Amino acid sequence: SSGEVVGFILVFRDVTKARRAQEELLQSNKRLSDTLSSISDAFFNLDHEWRYTFVNKRAAQVAGMKSEDMLGKVIWDLFPEITRTQFYSGFHRAVEQHVTVHFEAPLADGRSWFEIHAYPHEAGLSVYFQNVTRRRRAREGLRQLAAIVESSDDAIFSQTLDGRIVSWNRGAERLFGYSPEEVQNKTIADLMPIEEARDVSDILEKLRRGESIDHYETATIRSDGNRIFISITISPLRDELGQITGASAIARDITGRKT
């Protein structure tokens, strides 16, 4: 009743699990950070104010800066030139609509192209990107090659290893008289007289072994029933692993030489 302190009560709480969970979370975050720092493709994270909160080594290299010099800086202040590009509109769309955005865009110099994946989340925006300049150049090269093949005067077509025709240019259409649609379910043997078609199996076997057939002369039947003579060169086609997947053929009319 005098108000004197006569003792005290100690309350203990076991926080071992909480501390372990916190330690595990810290370790997990560190592992994630180490992983993102070491990957060969570029990755960075932005907060809701568009400030860099994480930049891995590859992303800093692409930017031409050090990671530590980018952290805390607003992306649009560091790189004002990209405010007029798809980077700006794409990142804003991801954040405003809360959707994952995927696009390809060049850097300001126009020489390097990158494939971008932007992922919005509660803390801001994560961006993963990789250089696809070589892939785009290869694609452009293929488009140019396709244009050359399509405009060639020679008949150029491709076929599977069982002889089924899968591509057919305008030169082939003029030479054989069939449209691409008309040869979709045909094999090269279907376009040859019976006595000549017997050689096709031998030709296909050579192609499977990786051999080419150069300037093979044979007869063929046009869609109008006329018999003509052609000189044909056939080469095996290989995939990225080097496996033979089909054959390409270039044919030329030599009827005038045979008559």
Side-chain angles (χ1 to χ4, degrees), residues 2-259:
S2 62
E4 295 180 1
V5 176
V6 296
F8 58 88
I9 298 174
L10 294 176
V11 178
F12 296 92
R13 179 178 298 169
D14 188 350
V15 294
T16 305
K17 290 183 177 180
R19 288 179 65 87
R20 286 177 179 171
Q22 185 179 24
E23 182 63 27
E24 289 175 359
L25 179 60
L26 290 173
Q27 290 179 357
S28 176
N29 287 340
K30 185 179 184 305
R31 286 194 297 270
L32 177 60
S33 178
D34 290 344
T35 299
L36 293 174
S37 295
S38 63
I39 60 177
S40 58
D41 291 321
F43 178 89
F44 63 82
N45 197 72
L46 303 169
D47 65 15
H48 290 296
E49 301 300 322
W50 302 105
R51 294 186 297 248
Y52 286 101
T53 58
F54 179 86
V55 182
N56 79 346
K57 183 178 180 180
R58 179 56 181 149
Q61 288 175 342
V62 172
M65 302 179 67
K66 294 181 179 179
S67 300
E68 54 267 28
D69 295 334
M70 299 173 67
L71 294 176
K73 306 291 177 53
V74 175
I75 184 174
W76 316 124
D77 293 340
L78 275 183
F79 308 105
E81 66 275 8
I82 67 174
T83 58
R84 300 181 297 275
T85 69
Q86 195 173 352
F87 289 93
Y88 186 88
S89 58
F91 290 176
H92 275 79
R93 184 165 72 87
V95 170
E96 293 165 7
Q97 299 180 17
H98 203 72
V99 294
T100 297
V101 172
H102 171 220
F103 59 92
E104 287 187 8
L107 294 185
D109 61 10
R111 293 191 297 269
S112 299
W113 280 78
F114 286 83
E115 181 179 35
I116 314 295
H117 294 266
Y119 307 94
H121 50 77
E122 292 182 0
L125 185 71
S126 292
V127 179
Y128 165 87
F129 59 105
Q130 60 182 157
N131 193 315
V132 293
T133 306
R134 290 179 63 182
R135 188 174 73 191
R136 286 185 65 90
R137 287 175 180 169
R139 245 182 358 228
E140 182 59 30
L142 288 175
R143 280 196 291 266
Q144 292 177 359
L145 180 60
I148 292 171
V149 168
E150 186 59 25
S151 61
S152 173
D153 289 333
D154 289 332
I156 302 176
F157 57 94
S158 62
Q159 60 188 55
T160 62
L161 288 177
D162 59 2
R164 183 171 51 85
I165 297 168
V166 292
S167 70
W168 193 254
N169 78 336
R170 291 179 184 175
E173 187 172 356
R174 287 191 295 269
L175 179 61
F176 295 97
Y178 293 99
S179 69
E181 292 75 23
E182 290 174 316
V183 295
Q184 278 185 354
N185 297 315
K186 291 183 180 295
T187 67
I188 191 63
D190 294 329
L191 308 181
M192 302 170 70
I194 295 177
E195 67 274 15
E196 301 285 349
R198 296 191 185 100
D199 294 337
V200 172
S201 59
D202 293 335
I203 292 173
L204 293 175
E205 185 57 36
K206 289 181 179 179
L207 290 170
R208 294 187 188 100
R209 295 198 300 264
E211 300 177 26
S212 296
I213 292 85
D214 295 325
H215 306 296
Y216 172 72
E217 296 184 1
T218 185
T220 185
I221 305 297
R222 284 177 42 85
S223 63
D224 57 12
N226 288 326
R227 183 187 182 107
I228 62 173
F229 290 93
I230 61 173
S231 173
I232 186 167
T233 295
I234 310 174
S235 303
L237 291 174
R238 300 176 184 271
D239 61 17
E240 294 178 353
L241 299 177
Q243 300 296 315
I244 299 172
T245 58
S248 63
I250 302 176
R252 181 169 296 175
D253 188 350
I254 59 170
T255 305
R257 224 171 61 200
K258 291 289 187 178
T259 57

